[in-house]
Amino acid sequence: MEPTIVQLDSHRIACHLSGRGTPLVCIHAPCIGSVNFDYQEPLADVCQLVVPDLPGHGDSSPLAGPTTMRELASVIHGLCQSLGLERPLLLGYSQGASLVLEYCLRFPENVRGAILVSAFSEVTDFSLHSRFLLAQSLSCLHAAPLIARSIAASHLDDPLARSRWIEHGSQTDAASLRHLYAAGHRYNCTDQLSQLKLPMLLVYGADDANMLPYARLLEKKLPQAELVMVPSVKHQVVTRAAAAFNQLCRQWLMNKKRGEKDCLRPFTPLLLRISFSSAGQAHPAIRPRSG
């Protein structure tokens, strides 16, 4: 399906639209593009999926120079206004979740809530620092195809899906990619998280050990956050655990429409919600129900 092209003041944004109902704007990680959410297409039966390509990806125009999360949030806001989306929900994956946090901080009156997957509000650990530095170095070498192949291999087993991700990611503008990685690497909104009074669903892979401190931080700082750990998966929840993740999103969206304060009840048997002790150990708070 051909994307809808939205012309903003200084950006051309390609956007894929499907489904009807409450808009769910999905923000991808760098060097993946809109294909990041191919496996979430089944959610179009409960909402309108709005999946843009960030600047430099797909048919979207490249960045003119260095950028910030604040500027990128303005681009997404302009897109939502141009499409006539009134208070959409947002879904962000990995660095895309950082952009969702910035959007919610800048435009809280224009968003209903957010789903944050494998999210971080700042980069504090050596592993994530290293990955950002490597990605920025490779983007300086115009190695988007190499980055795209590595990302596709870590997220997918299906050869056709891999090929689609590689083809889309390999077209990413090298300069834009470098600027996006730099913006994500230096972003830090941790001290502002307490300002967010919006419903937030936090989703992490239970085996994604390096991200657990970020999960603990966001659960603690966000006033209306609900945390779910998806068993037997690492960072790549949206693809490696797509069925469980989609079921969780569908349930959260439908319960939210009904106005339930706890959007995760009744709790799905596929997932495990946890809370953290002060020592950082994970302890089951609600065990999956049988039947």
Side-chain angles (χ1 to χ4, degrees):
M1 182 174 64
E2 290 297 315
T4 297
I5 304 297
V6 178
Q7 186 65 52
L8 305 177
D9 290 340
S10 56
H11 296 278
R12 183 186 70 250
I13 300 296
C15 187
H16 297 264
L17 306 172
S18 60
R20 301 175 66 179
T22 301
L24 179 64
V25 181
C26 305
I27 308 299
H28 64 79
C31 209
I32 303 179
S34 54
V35 296
N36 199 154
F37 300 103
D38 279 359
Y39 283 37
Q40 279 61 63
E41 184 62 30
L43 295 177
D45 64 356
V46 292
C47 63
Q48 181 189 27
L49 288 174
V50 181
V51 189
D53 276 300
L54 292 179
H57 294 75
D59 291 323
S60 295
S61 60
L63 290 167
T67 191
T68 64
M69 287 295 187
R70 184 178 180 86
E71 292 173 352
L72 293 167
S74 293
V75 173
I76 299 302
H77 184 57
L79 172 69
C80 292
Q81 289 187 315
S82 295
L83 293 173
L85 306 181
E86 185 175 349
R87 297 189 68 230
L89 292 158
L90 302 180
L91 164 61
Y93 174 61
S94 196
Q95 185 178 321
S98 300
L99 180 49
V100 167
L101 284 170
E102 179 61 21
Y103 185 100
C104 292
L105 285 166
R106 285 207 65 199
F107 308 105
E109 70 283 357
N110 296 114
V111 59
R112 297 171 189 254
I115 302 170
L116 307 176
V117 188
S118 302
F120 47 92
S121 57
E122 61 177 309
V123 179
T124 59
D125 72 293
F126 177 78
S127 176
L128 194 52
H129 272 301
S130 299
R131 281 185 282 169
F132 266 108
L133 290 172
L134 177 59
Q136 289 171 250
S137 298
L138 289 173
S139 61
C140 288
L141 299 173
H142 297 264
L146 178 61
I147 299 173
R149 285 183 177 277
S150 175
I151 292 173
S154 68
H155 282 76
L156 302 159
D157 293 324
D158 179 75
L160 292 179
R162 274 196 188 186
S163 294
R164 175 170 161 79
W165 274 46
I166 292 169
E167 180 181 5
H168 197 80
S170 295
Q171 297 171 5
T172 306
D173 175 69
S176 299
L177 186 58
R178 182 173 73 254
H179 297 322
L180 287 170
Y181 278 132
H185 193 186
R186 64 175 176 265
Y187 183 65
N188 185 344
C189 69
T190 300
D191 290 343
Q192 303 173 64
L193 293 177
S194 61
Q195 301 173 20
L196 292 175
K197 311 300 183 184
L198 299 165
M200 297 277 182
L201 176 60
L202 310 176
V203 184
Y204 290 82
D207 294 343
D208 195 8
N210 290 330
M211 297 303 293
L212 294 185
Y214 296 105
R216 182 174 73 249
L217 178 67
L218 289 175
E219 183 193 30
K220 178 181 178 181
K221 295 282 188 179
L222 290 168
Q224 295 190 45
E226 297 177 272
L227 173 62
V228 172
M229 306 299 291
V230 182
S232 305
V233 66
K234 295 182 179 180
H235 198 77
Q236 304 86 359
V237 175
V238 295
T239 55
R240 295 291 184 184
F245 175 67
N246 290 349
Q247 179 179 343
L248 172 63
C249 290
R250 181 176 286 106
Q251 181 178 338
W252 191 77
L253 291 166
M254 293 181 69
N255 287 355
K256 194 173 187 306
K257 286 181 182 179
R258 291 195 290 264
E260 296 185 16
K261 185 175 181 181
D262 185 345
C263 293
L264 295 180
R265 297 187 182 191
F267 203 74
T268 171
L270 292 178
L271 301 169
L272 177 64
R273 186 164 20 165
I274 68 170
S275 61
F276 288 91
S277 70
S278 58
Q281 299 297 316
H283 299 284
I286 297 180
R287 295 188 179 277
R289 295 177 181 175
S290 59

